[in-house]
Amino acid sequence: MNEKEREKIIVRTSVIGILTNVMLVAFKMVVGIISNSIAIILDAVNNLSDALSSVITIVGAKLAGKSPDKKHPLGYGRIEYLSSMIVAALVLYAGITSLVESIKKIIHPEKAEYSITMIVIIAVAVIVKLILGLFVKKRGRKVNSGALVASGSDALFDAIISASVLASALVYMIFHISLEAFVGMVIAAFIIKAGMGMLIETLDDILGKRADKELVLKVKKLIAEEEPVRGAYDLIINNYGPNKNIASVHIELPDTMTVEEVDNLTRRLEEKVYKETSVILTGVGVYSYNTKNDSATEIRNNVQKIITAHDYVLQMHGFYLDMQNKKMRFDAVLTFAVSFREAVETMTKEVKEAYPDYEITITSDADISDL
């Protein structure tokens, strides 16, 4: 699916959400004012925030779809994350406002009035929100839009909120017990929680979080399938908006390959990975491994035993032994629970004790992707 088609689906789905929520706001506001129900009015306010969220989602999708230019050569995809943050702020504001109003109603209660017609309208609103939520969430997953998925989840959540309002109205009509303000507080608490969750998730996207495990494993698998490649390591996937991933990776190749062979291989890998995952490999680094001396393999295995004896070492790769110049080099992937500098010093000392004639170079790697 290309970006234009994706943008059209997001916009159309958001427009449906806007129209549906505006209709629900109108009905619920009328019912809330006539019945003097704070719970129904707050439910209407929540629907209004959903409509505004859909508007922002459309604006974000349009801006994010702008073509790359000299100032932003990697495009404007991350604008979608900013729009999601604005949506989260709106939801949070609606929740806090609802909480304040509910507390006021507890301190100064007012009698509510309900009718069968009002009850029917609220029940219909529950069904509409349920259908809308399932529809929007499905479309969001189809186009990999976090904003649409969040809107769909929010709509499903709103159905539950409206159901609670319906239940409180029925309790009042049957038992004459008013739960209005208390239901309003519960609604407000859930809205605030949802807003905080959306805000934290969006901040994670902006700050940069660990790449999706399935995607990482798939990219590594595609690379390792090639005959000369012994392993794929140090995979870094940078996200520049939904479906816009740019990556770099190191691969282990035999020390007998020519530059021409390596060039052909890396170009083949770039094309293969993009075709299967849409990830753009902008850099393919190379580790050389020994093939000309059997003793190098024995030394490698021994060194691996020495460093992996430490719990903080997750993996060793990129090992190469220059027997003529007495040099040894490799990378060690470490957990975040240890000081990298101290860990490298410890490992270097231990390997040096086992092979005192060699100059040891250890590069520490962070656990940036699932191994």
Side-chain angles (χ1 to χ4, degrees), residues 114-121 173:
Y114 295 107
S115 67
I116 298 299
T117 303
M118 295 175 182
I119 295 298
V120 171
I121 291 175
M173 291 181 70

Side-chain angles (χ1 to χ4, degrees), residues 302-349:
N302 191 34
V303 170
Q304 187 167 20
K305 288 180 182 178
I306 293 172
I307 70 160
T308 54
H310 298 285
D311 292 337
Y312 53 75
V313 178
L314 300 175
Q315 185 189 77
M316 184 187 87
H317 59 256
F319 182 91
Y320 190 78
L321 195 68
D322 184 348
M323 303 190 77
Q324 183 177 351
N325 297 307
K326 297 295 181 180
K327 293 182 178 181
M328 180 191 305
R329 63 177 183 265
F330 60 88
D331 289 15
V333 182
L334 310 177
T335 68
F336 291 102
V338 67
S339 165
F340 283 21
R341 182 179 61 82
E342 292 177 3
V344 169
E345 288 177 356
T346 300
M347 291 185 294
T348 302
K349 180 182 178 182

Side-chain angles (χ1 to χ4, degrees), residues 47-310:
N47 289 149
L48 181 60
S49 70
D50 291 344
L52 291 174
S53 298
S54 295
V55 172
I56 294 170
T57 299
I58 291 175
V59 174
K62 286 289 185 182
L63 292 176
K66 288 178 63 178
S67 300
D69 52 35
K70 187 174 182 179
K71 190 174 183 180
H72 299 94
L74 295 174
Y76 292 79
R78 285 179 174 171
I79 286 180
E80 282 200 32
Y81 299 144
L82 296 178
S83 64
S84 296
M85 183 178 287
I86 295 172
V87 170
L90 283 174
V91 172
L92 198 57
Y93 174 77
I96 294 172
T97 304
S98 299
L99 182 62
V100 171
E101 291 301 317
S102 296
I103 293 173
K104 287 181 180 178
K105 286 292 182 179
I106 291 176
I107 298 173
H108 304 289
E110 295 180 11
K111 186 178 179 181
E113 297 285 343
Y114 295 107
S115 67
I116 298 299
T117 303
M118 295 175 182
I119 295 298
V120 171
I121 291 175
I122 298 172
V124 171
V126 173
I127 297 171
V128 170
K129 267 294 186 178
L130 187 62
I131 295 172
L132 179 66
L134 293 172
F135 170 73
V136 173
K137 198 168 185 178
K138 182 179 179 181
R139 302 285 277 186
R141 285 174 175 168
K142 180 180 179 180
V143 298
N144 190 27
S145 170
L148 278 187
V149 171
S151 295
S153 299
D154 192 34
L156 291 173
F157 183 67
D158 289 345
I160 298 174
I161 291 176
S162 297
S164 67
V165 173
L166 177 62
S168 67
L170 291 171
V171 167
Y172 182 79
M173 291 181 70
I174 298 171
F175 301 104
H176 303 289
I177 299 173
S178 179
L179 301 175
E180 282 288 310
F182 298 101
V183 171
M185 283 189 66
V186 173
I187 292 173
F190 278 111
I191 295 173
I192 292 171
K193 183 176 182 295
M196 287 297 296
M198 291 169 63
L199 191 61
I200 291 171
E201 186 176 348
T202 306
L203 283 173
D204 284 342
D205 287 325
I206 293 173
L207 289 173
K209 59 183 179 182
R210 185 180 294 275
D212 178 69
K213 183 175 181 179
E214 289 185 10
L215 179 61
V216 168
L217 294 176
K218 185 173 183 179
V219 171
K220 287 186 175 182
K221 181 176 179 293
L222 290 170
I223 294 173
E225 285 174 350
E226 295 294 323
E227 186 61 36
V229 181
R230 188 164 75 171
Y233 309 100
D234 308 327
L235 176 63
I236 299 176
I237 300 179
N238 294 306
N239 178 260
Y240 288 89
N243 300 331
K244 294 182 180 178
N245 293 309
I246 296 176
S248 62
V249 70
H250 279 102
I251 57 176
E252 275 193 327
L253 300 175
D255 56 4
T256 55
M257 289 186 70
T258 65
V259 175
E260 182 182 4
E261 290 172 333
V262 173
D263 180 54
N264 289 331
L265 173 64
T266 55
R267 290 176 186 275
R268 190 164 67 248
L269 288 174
E270 289 168 2
E271 183 179 352
K272 179 181 180 181
V273 169
Y274 181 73
K275 183 179 179 181
E276 295 291 331
T277 66
S278 296
V279 172
I280 302 172
L281 279 179
T282 56
V284 181
V286 175
Y287 291 130
S288 175
Y289 66 84
N290 300 94
T291 60
K292 302 169 184 176
N293 196 315
D294 292 338
S295 60
T297 302
E298 182 181 343
I299 294 174
R300 180 190 186 280
N301 293 338
N302 191 34
V303 170
Q304 187 167 20
K305 288 180 182 178
I306 293 172
I307 70 160
T308 54
H310 298 285

